[in-house]
Amino acid sequence: MKLRPLHDRVIVKRVEQETKTASGIYIPDNAAEKPDQGEVLAVGPGKRDEKGQLSPMAVKVGDRVLFGKYAGQTVKVDGDELMVMREDDLMAVIEK
């Protein structure tokens, strides 16, 4: 199944965080928090303003983004857990 987001929505896949701290301590799965970073898999065309003009999206496919803990809606597609969220829910693009 393939998803194509509408309007100003994006499809994000969470990026797994390290299970080991900088000091070498391993964190068990049940103690780890859900990651707040992800990779953008798909981007909608953008949102229309009051005049009907299409506002382009600030993110693109492949961007690594930072989002809030409770942002978006989680969906399962072909066994993968993906998130559908509005562009407004994204806080930042992580530059390399």
Side-chain angles (χ1 to χ4, degrees), residues 66-85:
L66 185 66
F67 51 85
K69 193 174 202 172
Y70 302 106
Q73 178 69 35
T74 304
V75 295
K76 279 209 169 214
V77 177
D78 297 333
D80 289 332
E81 192 172 288
L82 305 175
M83 297 183 64
V84 180
M85 60 182 71

Side-chain angles (χ1 to χ4, degrees), residues 3 5 9-12 38-44 57-65 93:
L3 292 178
R9 290 187 172 83
V10 294
I11 308 290
V12 176
E39 181 182 350
V40 176
L41 300 179
V43 178
M57 299 286 277
V59 296
K60 60 186 181 308
V61 173
D63 281 349
R64 192 167 180 153
V65 294
V93 175

Side-chain angles (χ1 to χ4, degrees), residues 9 17 22 35 52 87-88:
R9 290 187 172 83
Q17 290 183 330
E87 186 182 32
D88 294 344

Side-chain angles (χ1 to χ4, degrees), residues 12-25:
V12 176
K13 183 173 184 175
R14 287 186 192 267
V15 175
E16 295 301 319
Q17 290 183 330
E18 293 289 325
T19 57
K20 186 169 101 173
T21 64
S23 61
I25 299 171

